Amino acid sequence: MPLFEVTEYDRRVYNEELKDFLPSHIFDLHTHVYLKEHLEKPAPGEVRRTVTWPDLVAEDDSVEDLIETYRLMFPDKKVDALMFSTTKAIEKGNAYIVDCMKKTGWPGLYFSHPLQSGDEIEREIMKGGFIGLKSYLSLSPKYLPEKEIRIFDFFPHAQLAALNRMGAILMLHIPRDGRLKDPVNLAQIIEIREKYPDIRLVIAHIGRAYTATDVGNAFEVLDAAGCGFTFDFTANCSEYAITECLRHAGPANLMFGTDMPILRMRCRRIDDNGRYVNLVPPGLYGDISGDPHMREVPADEADRITFFAYEELLAFKRAVKTLGLTEKDVEDVMCGNAVRLCEAAKRSIYGK
């Protein structure tokens, strides 16, 4: 039995819109790999400081499932990945990533907790063969309301200093309702680049700018800082955000990611007055009536809903057309930039 169904509509979207647009080699810079038996149960009464809809897509994402996902979605492409675990499976999840790195030869990031010291972070990265760090805002101190979390609450300075010494990757999922345009986020992103220039900083999801409203004047502020920034457009279907990111940062500083298993979701994302909404087939993901980011389409539209991953790539394709980018630019964004980033981090940390 296949991991998930690939419909005739999916095949038509891929073959007519994406197959010839995408290079033969793809590198997924942003994917979660974890097993359900590694997931930690939340503490009684714990307030979850994340959106919950991604949990509806899959219980877990073993490396075997990830490889199969790539085979089903990109049947004629070679796909490699940068892997990391999840907030709900840190210790066991990191150990599993080490096993997956050995099995596949793909690189991995260590999933950190803000209570770890810089020395511990450096030891764990070196011990596991990781090339950088991933963490998440929900690991910030419990007394902080979600709206008040700042980058340095889950990536403290001691850890950043360690990454800087190593020349390691920092995969940054920024917090706060203002997303990319939030002035606190922008100030702290710039501070990281200025204070820790040897960190290989990747601003994930284009700073969670999933709608045009989320962008604001962020790129002008970052441009004025004059220190250069790198992004991935993981789980981002905003043509405007991708276009503006390419316009300001350039195709040498944008990379592809999938956030698997999330992008296995069937959805079409829209901008509903500045809030992203995932349009999904009726009944596919259970009762979503209480989630403001989820909405079911009428039954007669369901067979025209394809994979989230394809929708992301179609938005990128439109941005490429708008800006008149070249085939080489597309290859860089979809593969070359990420390969060079990971190889540079590996050389910096391990000297090879």
Side-chain angles (χ1 to χ4, degrees), residues 84-97:
F84 38 86
S85 188
T86 175
T87 55
K88 297 175 290 182
I90 296 181
E91 185 175 353
K92 292 180 180 178
N94 282 327
Y96 179 60
I97 294 296

PDB file of all heavy atoms in Angstrom, residues 84-97:
ATOM      1  N   PHE A  84      16.298  17.325  10.477  1.00  0.00           N
ATOM      2  CA  PHE A  84      16.322  17.588  11.915  1.00  0.00           C
ATOM      3  C   PHE A  84      15.039  17.054  12.523  1.00  0.00           C
ATOM      4  O   PHE A  84      14.080  16.728  11.813  1.00  0.00           O
ATOM      5  CB  PHE A  84      16.510  19.072  12.237  1.00  0.00           C
ATOM      6  CG  PHE A  84      15.791  20.020  11.322  1.00  0.00           C
ATOM      7  CD1 PHE A  84      14.478  20.381  11.545  1.00  0.00           C
ATOM      8  CD2 PHE A  84      16.447  20.575  10.234  1.00  0.00           C
ATOM      9  CE1 PHE A  84      13.821  21.272  10.706  1.00  0.00           C
ATOM     10  CE2 PHE A  84      15.801  21.468   9.387  1.00  0.00           C
ATOM     11  CZ  PHE A  84      14.486  21.822   9.628  1.00  0.00           C
ATOM     12  N   SER A  85      15.012  16.971  13.844  1.00  0.00           N
ATOM     13  CA  SER A  85      13.883  16.376  14.545  1.00  0.00           C
ATOM     14  C   SER A  85      12.790  17.417  14.789  1.00  0.00           C
ATOM     15  O   SER A  85      12.545  18.280  13.960  1.00  0.00           O
ATOM     16  CB  SER A  85      14.361  15.735  15.857  1.00  0.00           C
ATOM     17  OG  SER A  85      13.316  15.000  16.454  1.00  0.00           O
ATOM     18  N   THR A  86      12.130  17.341  15.933  1.00  0.00           N
ATOM     19  CA  THR A  86      10.999  18.199  16.246  1.00  0.00           C
ATOM     20  C   THR A  86      11.001  18.526  17.737  1.00  0.00           C
ATOM     21  O   THR A  86      11.673  17.842  18.524  1.00  0.00           O
ATOM     22  CB  THR A  86       9.671  17.504  15.863  1.00  0.00           C
ATOM     23  OG1 THR A  86       8.555  18.295  16.283  1.00  0.00           O
ATOM     24  CG2 THR A  86       9.551  16.146  16.520  1.00  0.00           C
ATOM     25  N   THR A  87      10.267  19.548  18.121  1.00  0.00           N
ATOM     26  CA  THR A  87      10.229  19.961  19.527  1.00  0.00           C
ATOM     27  C   THR A  87       9.738  18.856  20.439  1.00  0.00           C
ATOM     28  O   THR A  87      10.077  18.838  21.621  1.00  0.00           O
ATOM     29  CB  THR A  87       9.290  21.167  19.713  1.00  0.00           C
ATOM     30  OG1 THR A  87       7.993  20.838  19.194  1.00  0.00           O
ATOM     31  CG2 THR A  87       9.813  22.390  19.000  1.00  0.00           C
ATOM     32  N   LYS A  88       8.940  17.950  19.917  1.00  0.00           N
ATOM     33  CA  LYS A  88       8.335  16.905  20.748  1.00  0.00           C
ATOM     34  C   LYS A  88       9.180  15.639  20.828  1.00  0.00           C
ATOM     35  O   LYS A  88       8.761  14.655  21.433  1.00  0.00           O
ATOM     36  CB  LYS A  88       6.934  16.573  20.209  1.00  0.00           C
ATOM     37  CG  LYS A  88       5.964  17.740  20.276  1.00  0.00           C
ATOM     38  CD  LYS A  88       4.645  17.407  19.634  1.00  0.00           C
ATOM     39  CE  LYS A  88       4.765  17.278  18.138  1.00  0.00           C
ATOM     40  NZ  LYS A  88       3.481  16.998  17.469  1.00  0.00           N
ATOM     41  N   ALA A  89      10.360  15.670  20.215  1.00  0.00           N
ATOM     42  CA  ALA A  89      11.243  14.501  20.266  1.00  0.00           C
ATOM     43  C   ALA A  89      12.678  14.988  20.166  1.00  0.00           C
ATOM     44  O   ALA A  89      13.318  14.867  19.133  1.00  0.00           O
ATOM     45  CB  ALA A  89      10.930  13.541  19.125  1.00  0.00           C
ATOM     46  N   ILE A  90      13.173  15.573  21.260  1.00  0.00           N
ATOM     47  CA  ILE A  90      14.490  16.207  21.188  1.00  0.00           C
ATOM     48  C   ILE A  90      15.616  15.194  21.407  1.00  0.00           C
ATOM     49  O   ILE A  90      16.403  14.915  20.496  1.00  0.00           O
ATOM     50  CB  ILE A  90      14.582  17.384  22.175  1.00  0.00           C
ATOM     51  CG1 ILE A  90      13.580  18.481  21.760  1.00  0.00           C
ATOM     52  CG2 ILE A  90      15.998  17.954  22.184  1.00  0.00           C
ATOM     53  CD1 ILE A  90      13.601  19.711  22.641  1.00  0.00           C
ATOM     54  N   GLU A  91      15.725  14.623  22.605  1.00  0.00           N
ATOM     55  CA  GLU A  91      16.855  13.735  22.894  1.00  0.00           C
ATOM     56  C   GLU A  91      16.830  12.494  22.009  1.00  0.00           C
ATOM     57  O   GLU A  91      17.807  12.189  21.312  1.00  0.00           O
ATOM     58  CB  GLU A  91      16.846  13.330  24.372  1.00  0.00           C
ATOM     59  CG  GLU A  91      18.056  12.499  24.764  1.00  0.00           C
ATOM     60  CD  GLU A  91      18.115  12.206  26.263  1.00  0.00           C
ATOM     61  OE1 GLU A  91      17.295  12.760  27.015  1.00  0.00           O
ATOM     62  OE2 GLU A  91      18.983  11.416  26.666  1.00  0.00           O
ATOM     63  N   LYS A  92      15.718  11.780  22.005  1.00  0.00           N
ATOM     64  CA  LYS A  92      15.621  10.589  21.159  1.00  0.00           C
ATOM     65  C   LYS A  92      15.605  10.978  19.684  1.00  0.00           C
ATOM     66  O   LYS A  92      16.139  10.246  18.836  1.00  0.00           O
ATOM     67  CB  LYS A  92      14.369   9.787  21.519  1.00  0.00           C
ATOM     68  CG  LYS A  92      14.424   9.145  22.894  1.00  0.00           C
ATOM     69  CD  LYS A  92      13.148   8.370  23.197  1.00  0.00           C
ATOM     70  CE  LYS A  92      13.204   7.728  24.569  1.00  0.00           C
ATOM     71  NZ  LYS A  92      11.941   7.010  24.886  1.00  0.00           N
ATOM     72  N   GLY A  93      15.016  12.132  19.405  1.00  0.00           N
ATOM     73  CA  GLY A  93      14.960  12.597  18.020  1.00  0.00           C
ATOM     74  C   GLY A  93      16.334  12.911  17.470  1.00  0.00           C
ATOM     75  O   GLY A  93      16.649  12.570  16.321  1.00  0.00           O
ATOM     76  N   ASN A  94      17.179  13.553  18.273  1.00  0.00           N
ATOM     77  CA  ASN A  94      18.536  13.845  17.823  1.00  0.00           C
ATOM     78  C   ASN A  94      19.320  12.559  17.568  1.00  0.00           C
ATOM     79  O   ASN A  94      20.075  12.457  16.593  1.00  0.00           O
ATOM     80  CB  ASN A  94      19.262  14.709  18.851  1.00  0.00           C
ATOM     81  CG  ASN A  94      18.852  16.169  18.782  1.00  0.00           C
ATOM     82  OD1 ASN A  94      18.543  16.684  17.719  1.00  0.00           O
ATOM     83  ND2 ASN A  94      18.854  16.842  19.935  1.00  0.00           N
ATOM     84  N   ALA A  95      19.145  11.580  18.441  1.00  0.00           N
ATOM     85  CA  ALA A  95      19.825  10.298  18.256  1.00  0.00           C
ATOM     86  C   ALA A  95      19.361   9.621  16.967  1.00  0.00           C
ATOM     87  O   ALA A  95      20.161   9.010  16.239  1.00  0.00           O
ATOM     88  CB  ALA A  95      19.573   9.391  19.456  1.00  0.00           C
ATOM     89  N   TYR A  96      18.060   9.745  16.683  1.00  0.00           N
ATOM     90  CA  TYR A  96      17.529   9.149  15.452  1.00  0.00           C
ATOM     91  C   TYR A  96      18.098   9.848  14.216  1.00  0.00           C
ATOM     92  O   TYR A  96      18.412   9.198  13.212  1.00  0.00           O
ATOM     93  CB  TYR A  96      16.003   9.219  15.461  1.00  0.00           C
ATOM     94  CG  TYR A  96      15.356   8.637  14.220  1.00  0.00           C
ATOM     95  CD1 TYR A  96      15.562   7.301  13.873  1.00  0.00           C
ATOM     96  CD2 TYR A  96      14.544   9.414  13.409  1.00  0.00           C
ATOM     97  CE1 TYR A  96      14.979   6.759  12.735  1.00  0.00           C
ATOM     98  CE2 TYR A  96      13.947   8.881  12.269  1.00  0.00           C
ATOM     99  CZ  TYR A  96      14.168   7.564  11.935  1.00  0.00           C
ATOM    100  OH  TYR A  96      13.596   7.025  10.813  1.00  0.00           O
ATOM    101  N   ILE A  97      18.247  11.167  14.284  1.00  0.00           N
ATOM    102  CA  ILE A  97      18.822  11.892  13.151  1.00  0.00           C
ATOM    103  C   ILE A  97      20.247  11.417  12.879  1.00  0.00           C
ATOM    104  O   ILE A  97      20.654  11.276  11.716  1.00  0.00           O
ATOM    105  CB  ILE A  97      18.790  13.416  13.396  1.00  0.00           C
ATOM    106  CG1 ILE A  97      17.344  13.927  13.430  1.00  0.00           C
ATOM    107  CG2 ILE A  97      19.583  14.166  12.319  1.00  0.00           C
ATOM    108  CD1 ILE A  97      16.590  13.777  12.120  1.00  0.00           C
TER     109      ILE A  97
END
